[in-house]
Amino acid sequence: MDGSNGSFVAVRRLSGSDRAAAFHHSSSAEVVTGSTAWIGKGLSCVCAQRRDSDARLSFDLTPVQEECLQRLQNRIEVQYDSANREHQEALQALWCASFPGTELRGLISEQWKEMGWQGKDPSTDFRGGGFISLENLLYFAGNYPKSFQELLCKQNGDRAIWEYPFAVAGVNITFMLIQMLDLQAENERAFDILYCITFKLMDQQWLDMHATYMDFNTVMKSTRRQLERELLIEDIQRVEDMPSYRLLGR
């Protein structure tokens, strides 16, 4: 559901073989550890690892929900393809949303480092999150431009000399959420909104911890723990009910 009704997301557990097939990305970021169960009204989540005390949940999905889930799973499995025109245009759109009025000299350019990519070719950084990580960044820029620009330009707080790279952090957040959640969504945009919340929450954790570049993995772990706490709150019925949602600005 969306609009005034909010965006709902539920989560299911996959078997080890199913998980390997669905989440075949690799990453050196140590961001997915620990386990718990989250049970809320309209939003149910189960972390990747199981404890004996965890409840095993099952879901009876409507055909519409099944369709939304399949679309989301299809998005997760798409790798970024630098030869795909649609992917090229999406990358160009991200630049325009990030630096309006500044001409991009090419899809391979030193300019990309200004956004926080590791090199002059952003396609090499999408291996961990796939094309959906680019879609997440575009959704963030288009729907919460104020928060997007605040994080991109590091406008808030007492910043470190060595800051986290914005774009690479975004890919890591997508990767963390994919591994952290097995998603069933009544509205696939719930994942995109959760991404925006997580990015803003990560930056808030970064400031609160007075973190520097070498602390990035520690900040990501702290961000995950905060997400878990918020999703355990009994009154959470939709993504927009999460306390950290208020951090977002349009």
Side-chain angles (χ1 to χ4, degrees):
M1 301 176 68
D2 55 16
S4 59
N5 294 324
S7 301
F8 293 77
V9 59
V11 180
R12 70 178 179 182
R13 187 188 312 281
L14 299 181
S15 68
S17 59
D18 289 338
R19 179 179 303 282
F23 305 135
H24 54 273
H25 307 295
S26 61
S27 172
S28 60
E30 191 179 7
V31 296
V32 187
T33 59
S35 63
T36 188
W38 306 326
I39 303 175
K41 298 178 181 178
L43 188 153
S44 300
C45 309
V46 180
C47 284
Q49 300 176 7
R50 175 173 173 79
R51 289 189 306 206
D52 291 339
S53 60
D54 285 349
R56 182 174 295 277
L57 305 180
S58 62
F59 302 91
D60 295 322
L61 299 182
T62 67
V64 173
Q65 290 171 331
E66 287 281 6
E67 183 180 350
C68 288
L69 172 59
Q70 188 60 54
R71 284 202 303 267
L72 181 56
Q73 290 177 329
N74 290 343
R75 288 175 62 195
I76 288 171
E77 293 173 1
V78 175
Q79 294 297 298
Y80 182 84
D81 181 0
S82 59
N84 185 308
R85 185 172 182 82
E86 178 186 352
H87 293 193
Q88 294 174 352
E89 291 174 350
L91 190 58
Q92 290 174 324
L94 179 62
W95 176 268
C96 293
S98 303
F99 304 107
T102 301
E103 182 180 359
L104 178 64
R105 292 189 288 272
L107 291 179
I108 298 178
S109 169
E110 294 290 337
Q111 289 174 284
W112 288 110
K113 295 181 181 179
E114 299 173 24
M115 191 178 175
W117 300 103
Q118 295 185 87
K120 61 183 181 180
D121 183 4
S123 67
T124 61
D125 288 327
F126 285 119
R127 296 190 187 100
F131 183 60
I132 193 173
S133 60
L134 175 54
E135 292 181 311
N136 288 155
L137 285 166
L138 277 170
Y139 182 89
F140 194 2
N143 290 272
Y144 303 97
K146 181 176 182 293
S147 289
F148 181 89
Q149 288 295 328
E150 287 173 350
L151 300 188
L152 172 64
C153 301
K154 307 294 194 297
Q155 293 174 348
N156 295 335
D158 184 14
R159 314 301 308 201
I161 295 176
W162 291 97
E163 278 287 326
Y164 65 84
F166 172 81
V168 172
V171 174
N172 272 273
I173 288 171
T174 298
F175 181 78
M176 180 183 75
L177 290 176
I178 288 173
Q179 286 209 328
M180 183 178 172
L181 306 175
D182 301 327
L183 292 167
Q184 295 178 353
E186 295 181 26
N187 170 13
E188 62 179 311
R189 285 304 173 195
F191 181 83
D192 299 283
I193 298 171
L194 185 61
Y195 170 87
C196 299
I197 293 171
T198 305
F199 209 144
K200 190 66 175 176
L201 176 60
M202 185 277 293
D203 187 73
Q204 186 63 56
Q205 297 278 325
W206 179 276
L207 292 174
D208 291 345
M209 297 169 66
H210 304 287
T212 64
Y213 182 80
M214 296 302 293
D215 300 317
F216 182 74
N217 285 348
T218 301
V219 172
M220 290 289 281
K221 291 178 182 178
S222 177
T223 301
R224 171 174 174 155
R225 288 193 295 269
Q226 180 60 31
L227 282 177
E228 291 175 346
R229 285 192 290 268
E230 293 192 14
L231 290 170
L232 274 170
I233 297 173
E234 184 177 357
D235 293 337
I236 299 297
Q237 299 186 26
R238 55 183 190 158
V239 175
E240 290 90 336
D241 292 335
M242 295 175 62
S244 291
Y245 179 74
R246 68 178 185 272
L247 296 173
L248 289 173
R250 293 184 182 273

